[in-house]
């Protein structure tokens, strides 16, 4: 699978990253190399193998639906770049 | 005093040879003197440390005691610490102050440990040399032109230079074991789920695991006793009972079956590392263990599968950094899209962005079967290889890294860097416990031996490592220099 500049731009858009014109060439080369490493996986036939998503055979634990957290909104919002009246501010979305 | 193990320091504190305040001050003095050379700490919390030390001394005077009470500790800067900056080695979080303690932090604090500060690391734990940190690389105390390994390079260097008595690390593909090998110290990556991940900033959630970085296997057991166990705040934390990990340390290794994977002694392994590990195996043989050649036939695919699974999980985990609720936000965004993109592009370093891109690509429409599903199938094969091996042997031993610490700036090709973890990555994919202990020097640089046990067999792992350390002195060797206050 060829990974070219168009793919870089598409993936960067999906990942909400900006790749500048000066970077795009190097990013393409580096990711192509990484994909070549990854493609070594294709050397074995795994048709009969079940995927392993997680190292532990886990069943999700359940708990009573009790309130366990207190409201720390104001404290947590101290970490935000911009807040007003308990709301997170972002650039204008709707005209 | 400061070069002593946790076990020895605990004895000194109990006897009153030294107070925790004095011990803490001794480490703080060394950090002040040597951190500008090593760059091992990104935050030093002198005031907090001395307060905690005074509390430990008061508790001891009250007749209370426990193995970690009053022992100075460093936390990798991936663990959230309430009121103290947690940067994860990134510009994205360079001014982030967590509103709570990670479970690892609160458990060690409850056990009486004194927090000296936070250690440098590869950005978001993505790296094997500590060179991707936003705060600059850590230097290896054995040779400051060389890397300490990564991603827990700050913790490993701090232990090797006696800037703290014990430290925490995290290991997603080798990030505790490889720096432990490069810095000549002891590092343990427990089984997946043995220690809570709550409050530990996520990289790859099905692989990440916290563990101790310290001066001996006995110290690793003492730290694990405090760190391990069920935590309802982490739904993947295992509900498996916690043993006293010091209980079996003194067991004999007579009759122990040690598996030697042929694939870990093949092309690419430096002759000096091979010789040192084979000599260490000779020590076990003399102690009555049996060496058995085994195969891990799919080991060569572990790096490939890992570089799908880990970036895929990272791309999802790191989507939370959007410049809205916390973390870096770019200046003057023109619209929401611009704010997301520039905050992320300016806040993340190159390696983190590469992995987000690879992960996003692997999970994108049309590629799921070829990449993510394929990698999960390889993961099954790797786990089956280990299961088959543990039918035959009790423990698996090989080299931790193909060579000793390399020069800063020597590896600019990401793929070459990824292959650094060729012996350690499979262990994370399978969720097994693994450990690195020092077994020699080559040209003045430490060599690490890698031990792997079956699921939740940390007690066996620590026993086997401790028996080696009872019969050899490699773990007591220290880098020359850094002598002030030793």
């Amino acid at each position: 699978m060829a990974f070219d500049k168009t793919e870089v731009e598409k993936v960067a858009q999906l990942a909400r990253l900006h790749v500048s014109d000066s970077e795009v060439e190097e990013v393409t080369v580096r990711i192509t190399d990484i994909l070549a490493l990854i493609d070594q996986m294709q050397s074995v036939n795994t048709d009969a193998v079940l995927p392993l998503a997680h190292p532990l055979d886990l069943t999700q634990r359940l708990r009573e639906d009790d309130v366990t957290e207190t409201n720390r909104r104001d404290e947590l919002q101290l970490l935000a770049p911009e807040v007003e009246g308990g709301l997170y501010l972002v650039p204008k979305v709707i005209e | 005093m400061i070069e002593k193990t946790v076990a020895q320091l605990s004895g000194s504190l109990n006897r009153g040879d030294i107070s925790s305040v004095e011990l803490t001050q001794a480490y703080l003095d060394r950090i002040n003197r040597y951190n500008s050379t090593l760059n091992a700490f990104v935050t030093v919390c002198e005031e907090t440390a001395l307060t905690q030390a005074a509390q430990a001394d008061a508790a001891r005077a009250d007749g209370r005691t426990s193995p970690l009470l009053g022992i100075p500790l460093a936390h990798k800067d991936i663990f959230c610490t309430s009121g103290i900056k947690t940067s994860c080695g990134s510009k994205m979080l360079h001014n982030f102050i967590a509103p709570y303690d990670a479970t690892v932090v609160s458990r060690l604090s409850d056990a009486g440990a004194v927090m000296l500060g936070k250690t440098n690391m590869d950005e978001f734990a993505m790296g094997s040399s500590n060179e991707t940190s936003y705060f600059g690389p850590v230097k290896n105390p054995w040779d400051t032109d060389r890397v300490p390994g990564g991603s827990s390079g700050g913790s490993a260097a701090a232990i090797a230079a006696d800037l703290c008595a014990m430290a925490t690390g995290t290991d997603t593909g080798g990030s505790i074991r490889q720096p432990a090998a490069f810095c000549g110290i002891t590092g343990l990556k427990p089984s997946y789920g043995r220690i809570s991940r709550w409050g530990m900033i996520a990289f790859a959630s099905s692989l990440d695991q916290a563990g101790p970085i310290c001066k001996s296997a006995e110290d690793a057991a003492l730290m694990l006793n405090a760190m391990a166990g069920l935590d309802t705040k982490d739904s993947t934390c295992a509900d498996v009972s916690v043993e006293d990990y010091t209980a079996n340390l003194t067991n004999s290794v007579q009759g122990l079956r040690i598996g030697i994977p042929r694939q870990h002694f093949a092309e690419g392994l430096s002759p000096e590392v091979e010789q040192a590990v084979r000599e260490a195996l000779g020590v076990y043989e003399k102690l009555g263990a049996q060496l058995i050649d085994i195969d891990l036939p799919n080991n060569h695919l572990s790096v490939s599968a890992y570089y799908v699974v880990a970036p895929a999980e990272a791309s999802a985990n790191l989507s939370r950094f959007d410049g809205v609720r916390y973390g870096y936000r770019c200046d003057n965004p023109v619209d929401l899209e611009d704010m997301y993109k520039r905050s992320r592009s300016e806040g993340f370093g190159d390696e983190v962005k590469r992995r987000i891109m690879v992960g996003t690509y692997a999970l994108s429409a049309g590629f799921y079967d070829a990449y993510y599903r394929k990698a999960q199938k390889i993961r099954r094969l790797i786990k089956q290889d280990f299961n088959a091996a543990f039918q035959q042997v009790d423990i698996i031993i090989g080299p931790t890294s193909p060579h000793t610490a390399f020069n800063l700036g020597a590896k600019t090709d990401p793929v070459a860097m990824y292959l650094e973890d060729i012996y350690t990555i499979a262990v994370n994919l399978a969720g097994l416990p693994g450990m690195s202990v020092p077994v020699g020097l080559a040209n003045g640089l430490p060599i690490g031996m890698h031990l792997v046990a079956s699921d939740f067999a940390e007690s066996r792992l620590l026993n086997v490592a401790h028996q080696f350390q009872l019969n050899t002195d490699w773990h007591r060797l220290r880098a020359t220099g850094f002598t002030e206050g030793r």
Side-chain angles (χ1 to χ4, degrees):
Chain A
M1 277 168 267
F3 193 80
D4 56 20
K5 285 183 191 178
T6 326
E7 287 288 341
V8 168
E9 277 153 21
K10 195 177 119 193
V11 174
Q13 172 59 27
L14 288 172
R16 295 299 185 273
L17 288 169
H18 175 73
V19 181
S20 69
D21 290 345
S22 62
E23 295 166 323
V24 71
E25 189 123 355
E26 201 199 333
V27 170
T28 309
V29 170
R30 294 297 190 202
I31 293 182
T32 302
D33 286 351
I34 296 167
L35 294 175
L37 170 78
I38 288 171
D39 276 335
Q40 290 173 15
M41 293 192 306
Q42 312 302 339
S43 65
V44 283
N45 184 311
T46 52
D47 290 350
V49 181
L50 283 173
L52 179 71
H54 201 271
L56 300 179
D57 267 332
L58 284 179
T59 43
Q60 198 69 30
R61 283 191 292 273
L62 299 176
R63 62 165 174 83
E64 292 303 313
D65 188 17
D66 294 330
V67 176
T68 56
E69 297 292 320
T70 50
N71 184 359
R72 299 172 68 191
R73 185 188 70 182
D74 294 346
E75 192 188 340
L76 297 177
Q77 286 196 332
L78 289 174
L79 296 164
E82 228 182 330
V83 287
E84 193 182 292
L87 303 172
Y88 291 99
L89 295 190
V90 296
K92 198 169 178 182
V93 180
I94 303 162
E95 290 301 326
Chain B
M1 186 64 79
I2 47 94
E3 72 289 348
K4 286 189 174 180
T5 64
V6 170
Q8 292 165 333
L9 289 174
S10 206
S12 301
L13 289 165
N14 283 338
R15 284 191 302 273
D17 298 346
I18 192 168
S19 70
S20 176
V21 168
E22 289 167 324
L23 188 60
T24 301
Q25 191 60 57
Y27 285 114
L28 288 169
D29 289 347
R30 284 181 63 79
I31 294 169
N32 285 333
R33 182 172 296 270
Y34 295 118
N35 197 47
S36 56
T37 308
L38 294 171
N39 201 25
F41 282 81
V42 290
T43 303
V44 181
C45 22
E46 190 160 342
E47 217 172 294
T48 314
L50 290 170
T51 306
Q52 288 177 343
Q55 286 165 352
D57 285 335
R60 202 167 242 117
D62 266 358
R64 275 174 284 164
T65 185
S66 70
L68 304 186
L69 182 63
I71 306 286
L73 158 84
H75 279 300
K76 185 177 183 178
D77 207 20
I78 199 168
F79 293 101
C80 286
T81 43
S82 179
I84 292 163
K85 196 175 72 176
T86 300
S87 71
C88 217
S90 184
K91 181 180 179 184
M92 183 59 84
L93 292 173
H94 74 281
N95 58 1
F96 176 70
I97 295 178
Y100 58 88
D101 277 336
T103 299
V104 161
V105 172
S106 54
R107 286 201 174 162
L108 285 166
S109 166
D110 290 348
V114 170
M115 180 169 66
L116 293 167
K118 309 288 292 287
T119 57
N120 203 345
M121 54 181 284
D122 278 300
E123 185 180 9
F124 285 100
M126 298 181 191
S128 308
S129 68
N130 220 110
E131 292 172 295
T132 73
S133 170
Y134 175 63
F135 304 97
V138 176
K139 312 290 173 59
N140 190 319
W142 293 82
D143 176 351
T144 52
D145 290 332
R146 291 178 188 268
V147 304
S151 66
S152 310
S155 287
I159 291 289
D162 291 322
L163 303 187
C164 59
M166 57 180 178
T168 55
T170 60
D171 189 316
T172 305
S175 282
I176 286 175
R177 293 161 287 160
Q178 186 250 20
F182 280 13
C183 291
I185 53 158
T186 300
L188 165 67
K189 181 207 91 78
S191 307
Y192 181 85
R194 179 69 293 179
I195 295 174
S196 168
R197 293 185 296 110
W198 197 76
M200 181 175 118
I201 295 172
F203 160 15
S205 303
S206 78
L207 302 162
D208 295 343
Q209 181 60 207
I213 294 182
C214 42
K215 295 174 187 175
S216 69
E218 185 182 19
D219 284 6
L222 291 169
M223 282 185 76
L224 188 61
N225 277 352
M227 294 166 80
L230 182 65
D231 176 13
T232 52
K233 290 173 178 160
D234 171 6
S235 64
T236 60
C237 193
D239 192 1
V240 175
S241 62
V242 177
E243 307 163 53
D244 172 1
Y245 292 103
T246 62
N248 293 325
L249 289 176
T250 53
N251 288 1
S252 158
V253 293
Q254 177 77 41
L256 182 82
R257 298 168 303 165
I258 300 177
I260 319 294
R262 289 187 184 88
Q263 290 77 8
H264 288 198
F265 289 88
E267 201 191 328
L269 177 62
S270 85
E272 300 84 15
V273 173
E274 170 158 7
Q275 194 191 337
V277 175
R278 292 218 185 263
E279 280 171 18
L281 289 166
V283 172
Y284 282 118
E285 232 178 349
K286 281 204 193 95
L287 294 172
Q290 192 189 344
L291 307 185
I292 302 166
D293 287 325
I294 58 160
D295 283 301
L296 297 171
N298 294 291
N299 186 72
H300 66 292
L301 298 171
S302 58
V303 179
S304 312
Y306 177 90
Y307 277 95
V308 174
V309 173
E313 294 183 9
S315 72
N317 275 325
L318 271 60
S319 68
R320 64 175 58 108
F321 298 102
D322 56 5
V324 176
R325 292 152 301 157
Y326 49 84
Y328 177 82
R329 178 187 285 197
C330 67
D331 289 335
N332 309 315
V334 296
D335 57 25
L336 192 62
E337 189 81 2
D338 180 52
M339 188 192 77
Y340 289 151
K341 282 189 176 175
R342 280 203 295 125
S343 297
R344 289 166 62 76
S345 297
E346 293 166 19
F348 292 135
D350 288 344
E351 180 59 25
V352 172
K353 283 189 272 194
R354 258 196 296 277
R355 295 201 197 187
I356 291 174
M357 298 268 287
V358 169
T360 303
Y361 183 65
L363 293 175
S364 64
F367 296 119
Y368 184 86
D369 282 350
Y371 289 124
Y372 197 66
R373 200 174 158 80
K374 182 79 182 183
Q376 289 190 324
K377 289 180 167 196
I378 303 284
R379 193 171 184 180
R380 169 86 58 192
L381 293 178
I382 286 165
K383 178 95 182 168
Q384 285 172 349
D385 285 354
F386 280 113
N387 288 347
F390 285 120
Q391 296 294 313
Q392 264 185 283
V393 299
D394 304 307
I395 199 149
I396 296 173
I397 295 185
T400 306
S401 170
H403 45 74
T404 53
F406 49 89
N407 280 308
L408 288 154
K411 286 191 196 285
T412 51
D413 171 20
V415 171
M417 192 69 88
Y418 298 170
L419 292 168
E420 281 298 302
D421 295 326
I422 181 77
Y423 305 135
T424 52
I425 265 181
V427 170
N428 298 77
L429 289 167
L432 302 171
M435 200 167 172
S436 182
V437 297
V439 290
L441 294 179
N443 302 316
L445 295 170
I447 295 166
M449 169 170 73
H450 189 214
L451 304 95
V452 182
S454 55
D455 284 319
F456 297 99
E458 281 81 1
S459 187
R460 162 69 56 78
L461 196 59
L462 289 159
N463 162 230
V464 175
H466 182 67
Q467 288 303 308
F468 181 76
Q469 294 183 337
L470 282 181
N471 288 280
T472 56
D473 279 323
W474 296 113
H475 63 296
R476 291 196 187 88
L477 273 191
R478 286 292 178 274
T480 51
F482 311 101
T483 48
E484 191 74 31
R486 248 187 184 150

